[in-house]
Amino acid sequence: RLKDLEKIKSVIYETCLTKKSKVLIPVFALQRAQCILTYLYDIFGEDKNFNIPILLDSPLAIKITNIFEDELSDKDKQKIEEVLSWKNLHLLKDFSETEQWASSNYPCVFLSASGMMNAGRSVYVASKILPHASNHIIFCGYSVTGTLAWKIKQKKSQSSKYPLYRL
């Protein structure tokens, strides 16, 4: 996982800090959202210069994360509480917030459901950011044949200036 975390860090730094653009990480509301959110906290949480908003963009993922906080104990509970109190984290409950962030010129990282991009806010966010070459999508995990995530992964062009990162 160390190389995967290095790739995530590199893509987010290059995209958000250097190019002032957006990153979409399609996630599943249960488990994947919480894992990726924790990884991002581990990578960037102590970095005082990292001021990029991390947007948990799924009402269901937010509810599940809150359940994790209630049900976990000891070190796991402490960790999720740290993550949820992170200054960079924004919980997007209303779709109007998603629309505002996706349409803004402000760099950010979206953790949007659904993970295979067959429904949910990830499809909307992708439709807004894909027309701009400086924005990126990081796929973390398997995508079923025929889903939008699978189709995007299959479209890698040999002449593409930007590599497609599959973690």
Side-chain angles (χ1 to χ4, degrees), residues 17 132-133:
L17 294 172
H132 308 284

Side-chain angles (χ1 to χ4, degrees), residues 77-132:
K77 182 176 181 69
Q78 181 182 351
K79 183 67 167 195
I80 199 72
E81 288 173 348
E82 286 177 28
V83 171
L84 289 172
S85 65
W86 186 20
K87 67 176 178 52
N88 296 58
L89 179 61
H90 300 267
L91 307 177
L92 306 187
K93 295 177 183 174
D94 296 323
F95 183 68
S96 62
E97 295 173 290
T98 303
E99 291 175 310
Q100 289 172 344
W101 279 101
S103 299
S104 76
N105 291 326
Y106 202 76
C108 59
V109 176
F110 283 92
L111 300 180
S112 300
S114 113
M116 290 192 213
M117 299 180 67
N118 58 336
R121 294 184 183 184
S122 63
V123 175
Y124 174 79
V125 172
S127 75
K128 292 297 182 186
I129 72 167
L130 280 179
H132 308 284

Side-chain angles (χ1 to χ4, degrees), residues 4-167:
D4 291 341
L5 296 176
E6 289 172 4
K7 287 179 188 177
I8 291 170
K9 182 177 182 177
S10 175
V11 170
I12 290 174
Y13 261 105
E14 177 70 17
T15 303
C16 296
L17 294 172
T18 304
K19 297 179 180 176
K20 306 294 185 212
S21 295
K22 295 175 175 49
V23 172
L24 167 62
I25 305 175
V27 294
F28 300 102
L30 175 61
Q31 198 66 34
R32 183 63 52 96
Q34 295 77 26
C35 287
I36 298 297
L37 183 57
T38 302
Y39 291 150
L40 293 177
Y41 177 77
D42 289 343
I43 295 168
F44 300 110
E46 299 297 318
D47 186 344
K48 302 297 182 204
N49 296 319
F50 186 79
N51 60 355
I52 300 301
I54 305 296
L55 312 172
L56 185 54
D57 184 32
S58 165
L60 182 58
I62 293 167
K63 287 178 186 175
I64 292 170
T65 304
N66 290 330
I67 291 170
F68 275 35
E69 183 180 24
D70 292 340
E71 297 299 321
L72 293 174
S73 59
D74 303 324
K75 289 181 182 178
D76 293 331
K77 182 176 181 69
Q78 181 182 351
K79 183 67 167 195
I80 199 72
E81 288 173 348
E82 286 177 28
V83 171
L84 289 172
S85 65
W86 186 20
K87 67 176 178 52
N88 296 58
L89 179 61
H90 300 267
L91 307 177
L92 306 187
K93 295 177 183 174
D94 296 323
F95 183 68
S96 62
E97 295 173 290
T98 303
E99 291 175 310
Q100 289 172 344
W101 279 101
S103 299
S104 76
N105 291 326
Y106 202 76
C108 59
V109 176
F110 283 92
L111 300 180
S112 300
S114 113
M116 290 192 213
M117 299 180 67
N118 58 336
R121 294 184 183 184
S122 63
V123 175
Y124 174 79
V125 172
S127 75
K128 292 297 182 186
I129 72 167
L130 280 179
H132 308 284
S134 60
N135 294 322
H136 281 17
I137 298 177
I138 300 175
F139 292 101
C140 300
Y142 177 75
S143 299
V144 171
T145 302
T147 62
L148 180 57
W150 179 85
K151 290 175 185 175
I152 292 170
K153 289 179 183 182
Q154 302 311 306
K155 292 287 184 184
K156 183 181 179 200
S157 166
Q158 296 300 335
S159 63
S160 177
K161 183 176 168 183
Y162 302 99
L164 180 61
Y165 294 104
R166 293 183 180 116
L167 306 177

